[in-house]
Amino acid sequence: MPPLRTALLQSSGTPGSVAGNLDLLDDAARRAAAGGARLLVCPEMFLTGYAIGDDVPRLAEAADGPAARAVAEIAVRHGIGVHYGYPEREGDALYNAAQLIGPEGTALANYRKTHLFGDFEERWFTPGDRPVVQAELDGIRIGLLICYDVEFPENVRAHALAGTDLLLVPTALMHPFPFVAESLVPVRAFENQLYVAYANRTGTEGPFEFVGLSALAGPDGTVRTRAGRGEELVVGDVDPSLLTASRAGNPYLRDRRPGLYGSLV
C-alpha cells in the first residue's frame, strides 16, 4: 500500500468569515493536491475562527449544512480528502466538531470534542460522547480527536486498541503550552504506535496567542514534518510499511496488563 501523503494547514484564517475561510481552504486544497497530498487537515474551528464569542450560535451549522456542502465541492474539485473544524448545531445543542470529507465529496466521519477546554468552550459547547470515531481513506484507518482530547492518554490508547493508523487532531494550542506540540504529540504517537497529524492555529485571536508548531508525528516517535510559528502548509507521508515495522518491534500494546488498570476508571 503506498503512503498517504498528508498536508497540514497552519492558519487562523479570517475569524467570523465562513466565506473567507472557505476561500482559504480551497487554495490550500489546491496547493496540497498539487504536491501529491490525498488528505488536508485544518485546525480546530477553522471554518469560523476560534475566538468568536457570542457569534458561536450564529455561525454554527448542521453537519450537512451549507458549509459542509461547500467543503465537499472543494474536495471533489481538487481530488483530496478534507478534514476541518467547525461549530456544529444539532437542535438546541452546539458542539465543537470536526468533519472528514472524502475526495469524492462524501462525508466520512464527524466527531464532537469530548473534553472541553476553558470557560469559553464550557460556556458554548456540549461535550461529545463518542470517544472513538473512525473512517478509511486509501486503505488507512483514520481516527478523529480535537485539541485537548489528545492530552488525555486514555483517548489515544482507545484509538490504538481500535486499530487507528492515523489520528487527526485539529487544535487551537495556545501560549504557554508549546510543549504539547513539541513533546506530548510525538510521545502519544510512539506509545500508541500510530501517526498523529496535529494541525494548529497561529497568531493572535482575541485573548489567545496560538503557538503554531503543527506536526505529523510517526509511530517511531519522530516528527515527519513540522511547521514554524506562522502561516504555513506542510506535507508528510503516512507510511503503512513503517507502521507495520514499528508495531512489530514495539511491545507496548502487546505487553499491556489490563487487569491491573481497573483503578483508573
Side-chain angles (χ1 to χ4, degrees):
M1 191 190 311
L4 177 67
R5 181 150 292 182
T6 301
L8 282 66
L9 174 62
Q10 181 166 285
S11 173
S12 287
T14 305
S17 175
V18 173
N21 292 326
L22 285 169
D23 286 343
L24 290 171
L25 193 154
D26 187 33
D27 180 65
R30 176 189 59 78
R31 290 185 286 132
R38 284 282 290 167
L39 175 62
L40 171 65
V41 185
C42 300
E44 182 176 10
M45 296 277 284
F46 179 73
L47 280 190
T48 60
Y50 181 83
I52 55 175
D54 293 348
D55 277 341
V56 170
R58 179 178 67 85
L59 295 175
E61 291 189 12
D64 60 354
R69 294 193 291 272
V71 174
E73 292 175 0
I74 291 171
V76 171
R77 179 157 54 248
H78 301 293
I80 191 171
V82 178
H83 177 263
Y84 65 98
Y86 73 108
E88 179 191 357
R89 176 186 295 280
E90 184 179 63
D92 293 331
L94 301 173
Y95 300 93
N96 183 335
Q99 183 153 220
L100 174 61
I101 305 290
E104 296 79 25
T106 303
L108 300 180
N110 190 72
Y111 172 78
R112 295 165 174 173
K113 190 174 186 177
T114 55
H115 294 73
L116 302 179
F117 180 81
D119 294 340
F120 165 67
E121 292 189 17
E122 291 179 357
R123 176 186 178 189
W124 288 111
F125 298 117
T126 298
D129 57 8
R130 290 184 61 196
V132 176
V133 173
Q134 295 173 309
E136 287 208 8
L137 179 62
D138 293 356
I140 299 293
R141 184 172 295 182
I142 293 174
L144 280 61
L145 291 179
I146 298 174
C147 195
Y148 195 37
D149 290 332
V150 80
E151 298 177 39
F152 292 81
E154 300 87 349
N155 278 347
V156 187
R157 182 52 52 86
H159 271 278
L161 296 177
T164 293
D165 299 316
L166 168 61
L167 188 60
L168 308 184
V169 187
T171 188
L173 182 70
M174 57 195 69
H175 183 79
F177 307 113
F179 67 88
V180 173
E182 294 168 336
S183 301
L184 186 147
V185 167
V187 168
R188 286 286 180 270
F190 178 73
E191 68 190 3
N192 291 288
Q193 290 301 289
L194 42 70
Y195 281 88
V196 179
Y198 192 76
N200 197 18
R201 306 179 70 81
T202 184
T204 300
E205 187 180 332
F208 306 114
E209 180 187 347
F210 301 115
V211 302
L213 301 175
S214 299
L216 176 66
D220 56 357
T222 64
V223 174
R224 323 309 285 189
T225 188
R226 165 82 74 189
R229 298 286 184 143
E231 301 269 338
E232 198 167 348
L233 182 72
V234 295
V235 178
D237 287 338
V238 174
D239 187 350
S241 64
L242 175 60
L243 274 171
T244 299
S246 187
R247 288 169 173 173
N250 187 316
Y252 277 170
L253 298 181
R254 295 193 300 274
D255 288 350
R256 292 173 64 251
R257 297 181 62 192
L260 300 179
Y261 311 147
S263 62
L264 295 179
V265 294

